[in-house]
Amino acid sequence: MPEHRFDVQNERHAAYDINPIFLNRWSSRAFLEKEISSEILMSLFEAARWAPSASNLQPWRYIVARTEEEKGMFAEFISASNKTWCLKAPVLALILSHTPSPAGGVNGSHAFDAGASWSYLALEAVRQGLISHAMAGFDRESARRMLGVPDDYDIHAVIAIGYHGDAQSLSDQHLQREQPSGRRELKETLFAGRFGNSFE
């Protein structure tokens, strides 16, 4: 496993024994302007490819921007606040999901499955010594129009991918938020048998 340039062990603590990769994945905004080799980049999408999906439909798709021209197109629909940091990342990716069901109508799990694919990508990024940050702050209709996304695909997030950089490169606003976030206690997430029942 590549050596990480950041350590979250003082910020995050698991209540139960889990692989540290889950704690080491966090959404930093500080990117190093350093290219990612094709082999390493493809390993992230290879991991994303093996996510589970209903009926193995694999509804996720990714539009990847690596060149300055491609990233410039993405910049047209990304929010101003996000542009201040995400354009330093060497790779941007737009994650979509194919919405139709083969039986007709809408595949009710298309977004759920796309989320699973993104999580596999994010964990492989950690394993490869990279960071990834998914953003909802962008204009979806502009993205659809500019990138030629068909109507039967939903657009979910823009993902910045790269190596971890110096947090001091961030604006004051983003610098204040540049730390791994915590999580609520499990007892607030789990219910026993029915909604609201305490899980002991």
Side-chain angles (χ1 to χ4, degrees), residues 3-200:
E3 182 178 349
H4 299 290
R5 296 188 62 236
F6 54 95
D7 186 359
V8 300
Q9 65 180 353
N10 294 324
E11 302 289 338
R12 289 177 161 182
H13 304 280
Y16 297 90
D17 183 31
I18 60 173
N19 191 305
I21 199 169
F22 295 103
L23 300 178
N24 285 323
R25 188 229 56 84
W26 67 290
S27 301
S28 173
R29 293 176 175 82
F31 284 90
L32 189 65
E33 295 185 70
K34 175 184 175 182
E35 292 302 309
I36 303 172
S37 72
S38 293
E39 183 176 355
I40 290 177
L41 180 62
M42 291 304 289
S43 75
L44 274 61
F45 293 105
E46 178 66 15
R49 182 168 80 99
W50 289 98
S53 63
S55 301
N56 197 29
L57 291 177
Q58 305 166 58
W60 52 81
R61 304 291 189 275
Y62 294 88
I63 300 175
V64 183
R66 292 176 292 176
T67 68
E68 289 305 311
E69 181 180 0
E70 290 166 346
K71 288 172 63 179
M73 290 183 66
F74 274 51
E76 291 295 317
F77 54 78
I78 294 174
S79 71
S81 177
N82 285 335
K83 277 192 286 194
T84 62
W85 56 267
C86 79
L87 295 182
K88 292 182 179 179
V91 177
L92 299 173
L94 186 70
I95 180 170
L96 326 166
S97 60
H98 194 220
T99 60
S101 165
V106 174
N107 170 12
S109 67
H110 68 88
F112 182 82
D113 296 341
S117 176
W118 140 247
S119 71
Y120 275 36
L121 182 155
L123 292 173
E124 180 62 19
V126 175
R127 196 185 77 85
Q128 294 288 353
L130 299 168
I131 59 173
S132 58
H133 188 127
M135 298 164 267
F138 67 99
D139 187 317
R140 284 161 176 75
E141 288 312 308
S142 293
R144 183 180 300 279
R145 183 178 66 255
M146 294 185 67
L147 303 184
V149 178
D151 290 340
D152 58 352
Y153 284 84
D154 267 3
I155 300 174
H156 299 293
V158 176
I159 306 164
I161 303 167
Y163 291 96
H164 198 237
D166 185 356
Q168 297 303 316
S169 66
L170 298 172
S171 68
D172 289 343
Q173 174 192 5
H174 289 132
L175 183 59
Q176 292 175 9
R177 302 171 64 189
E178 186 63 8
Q179 59 185 351
S181 56
R183 294 294 185 271
R184 63 175 172 263
E185 297 293 328
L186 269 179
K187 64 183 180 181
E188 299 178 49
T189 298
L190 302 179
F191 301 122
R194 61 180 294 163
F195 191 90
N197 283 359
S198 177
F199 189 95
E200 301 293 344

